[in-house]
Amino acid sequence: MSAITLTSVGLRYPDGTVGLAGVDLHIGDGEFVALVGPSGSGKTTLLRTIAGFLTPTTATICIDDDIVAGDRGTVPPEKRRLGMVFQQHAIWPHRSVGRNVGYPLEVTRTPRRERATRVAATLDLVGLGGYENRDPATLSGGQRQRVALARALVAQPRALLLDEALSALDEPLRDRLRLELRALTRAHGLTVVHVTHDRAEALALADRVVVLGDGELRRVGTPEELLTTPGTPFVAEFLWSATLLEGRLDATGFVDTDGSVVAARGAITGSDAAEEAGTLAVLPADVELRAPDAPDAWTSGIVTSSLFGRDASDVVIACNGIGVRCAVRGPRPRVGDRVGVTVRRASFHPQHRGVLGGSPAALPDTVATG
């Protein structure tokens, strides 16, 4: 398929609101990249800028060797040869399944016989072989989403753009389509840019995950890299529901604002400084519960939430005015229980450190100032 390179992509709306702020990113040929971030972070804005539906204020966007946005203007969406699937399938009710899928080929005046052949082959590809004459009203939600996917693929796009494409589906169906989508894109070497609000979906599907915040790249990396080195407290909190603690690193370990040692020095990654102020990010899986008066407990608190999970229960403990989140395997504590809290390991983020972003120069990502 194709590679996509974005250099200094910025977008400012007429009222002065910043949609994107100097985004640098390279998406490799055949790579599956997920864009995630809080509401208003710029993920959909970035996708629509790649697609050509939004015109950047400053940018160079290349698809392979073709500059589709730059100093000489922008190439319109229909000439970028990109396939796009939206959250709402946008299936035309007055057209059969085959005519829905074949619409991009009608626009390009593809001969009727070739059009029929390609529509049939693409419907086979998404598991809807023989559905050409079906009325869209008779299809399930998952089938309609497959039709939308087929329509995006039939014109043999250079890349596939997915804008919350699975979020409107029920969970069992969404889970099955995730597996089918990843198998399909991998088998055919498709370059994919996928916007999703579902963190688990992004981490499960993507070769690399792009985390955005306030229109900037905050971190780019493989799911494994983002787990071991989230890079910033923002990323640790957003992606992994980390508890963030302010304080200071010294010879004993991390000392919080109350003067308590949260974790020993040997359990902390992120700084070799003898002493430094900053933020400690503690992932839920790295918190263990103890008896309230256990000698190795950092502190104790009251369980305020205890939700059952298949692999681990999601428990929140109120400790010194902070909600500490932990993943509990085994017996689940009850709301109102007093428990001790021990931090097994954590990552330290000095106050002076900048955000981490993705550079267009290399794959996998390199570190750059956002």
Side-chain angles (χ1 to χ4, degrees):
M1 285 292 132
S2 297
I4 302 171
T5 303
L6 299 92
T7 306
S8 300
V9 175
L11 189 149
R12 186 181 293 271
Y13 293 101
D15 65 357
T17 302
V18 175
L20 297 170
V23 172
D24 293 323
L25 181 66
H26 179 82
I27 300 167
D29 187 354
E31 188 177 22
F32 195 121
V33 168
L35 307 182
V36 299
S39 296
S41 61
K43 53 188 184 293
T44 295
T45 300
L46 181 58
L47 188 79
R48 289 172 177 261
T49 301
I50 295 171
F53 299 133
L54 293 174
T55 302
T57 310
T58 60
T60 301
I61 301 176
C62 297
I63 303 174
D64 291 332
D65 296 327
D66 298 332
I67 299 175
V68 297
D71 294 339
R72 297 182 180 180
T74 61
V75 175
E78 64 273 13
K79 294 187 177 180
R80 296 192 183 191
R81 290 182 49 216
L82 300 172
M84 192 157 185
V85 182
F86 300 92
Q87 177 180 0
Q88 302 301 330
H89 326 106
I91 301 301
W92 292 298
H94 62 285
R95 284 175 166 255
S96 67
V97 166
R99 291 196 63 211
N100 264 283
V101 173
Y103 177 75
L105 303 180
E106 292 180 27
V107 172
T108 58
R109 300 184 183 278
T110 302
R112 185 184 298 271
R113 181 169 294 180
E114 180 185 348
R115 194 163 69 224
T117 299
R118 287 171 61 177
V119 166
T122 307
L123 285 172
D124 280 340
L125 188 65
V126 300
L128 293 178
Y131 277 60
E132 287 88 339
N133 297 320
R134 287 282 293 271
D135 183 339
T138 68
L139 302 180
S140 68
Q143 289 171 329
R144 285 195 294 271
Q145 196 64 306
R146 286 188 177 93
V147 171
L149 179 59
R151 186 172 57 196
L153 294 175
V154 73
Q156 300 171 341
R158 296 194 286 186
L160 181 63
L161 310 182
L162 306 174
D163 189 5
E164 301 277 12
L166 304 178
S167 62
L169 303 174
D170 294 336
E171 177 53 38
L173 175 59
R174 185 163 72 243
D175 187 56
R176 186 166 72 251
L177 285 185
R178 283 175 190 154
L179 297 175
E180 293 177 3
L181 176 65
R182 193 63 186 101
L184 172 67
T185 56
R186 192 184 297 277
H188 293 271
L190 287 169
T191 303
V192 182
V193 186
H194 177 38
V195 165
T196 178
H197 67 270
D198 187 325
R199 297 171 296 176
E201 179 175 285
L203 295 164
L205 289 177
D207 297 313
R208 287 191 302 156
V209 177
V210 176
V211 184
L212 291 109
D214 298 325
E216 299 179 347
L217 291 194
R218 298 300 184 90
R219 186 74 166 94
V220 183
T222 67
E224 294 82 3
E225 289 168 343
L226 297 184
L227 176 62
T228 56
T229 54
T232 67
F234 171 86
V235 175
E237 182 179 36
F238 175 76
L239 269 187
W240 307 108
S241 301
T243 299
L244 304 182
L245 302 169
E246 301 301 320
R248 177 171 292 276
L249 191 66
D250 64 18
T252 60
F254 183 83
V255 181
D256 66 16
T257 54
D258 292 331
S260 300
V261 178
V262 178
R265 186 71 190 236
I268 299 171
T269 61
S271 177
D272 295 324
E275 187 170 335
E276 195 168 16
T279 303
L280 194 72
V282 185
L283 303 188
D286 294 329
V287 176
E288 290 185 351
L289 302 187
R290 297 281 193 269
D293 55 353
D296 63 342
W298 151 50
T299 188
S300 65
I302 302 296
V303 175
T304 59
S305 177
S306 183
L307 304 178
F308 175 79
R310 182 175 58 186
D311 299 317
S313 297
D314 183 2
V315 177
V316 179
I317 304 102
C319 301
N320 307 323
I322 297 172
V324 177
R325 198 163 182 172
C326 64
V328 175
R329 290 173 171 80
R332 181 163 54 109
R334 295 173 297 180
V335 171
D337 286 352
R338 176 169 287 277
V339 296
V341 176
T342 297
V343 174
R344 294 192 299 120
R345 57 178 172 262
S347 60
F348 178 74
H349 304 272
Q351 288 179 348
H352 67 270
R353 187 169 297 174
V355 299
L356 299 179
S359 164
L363 279 175
D365 68 297
T366 56
V367 175
T369 301

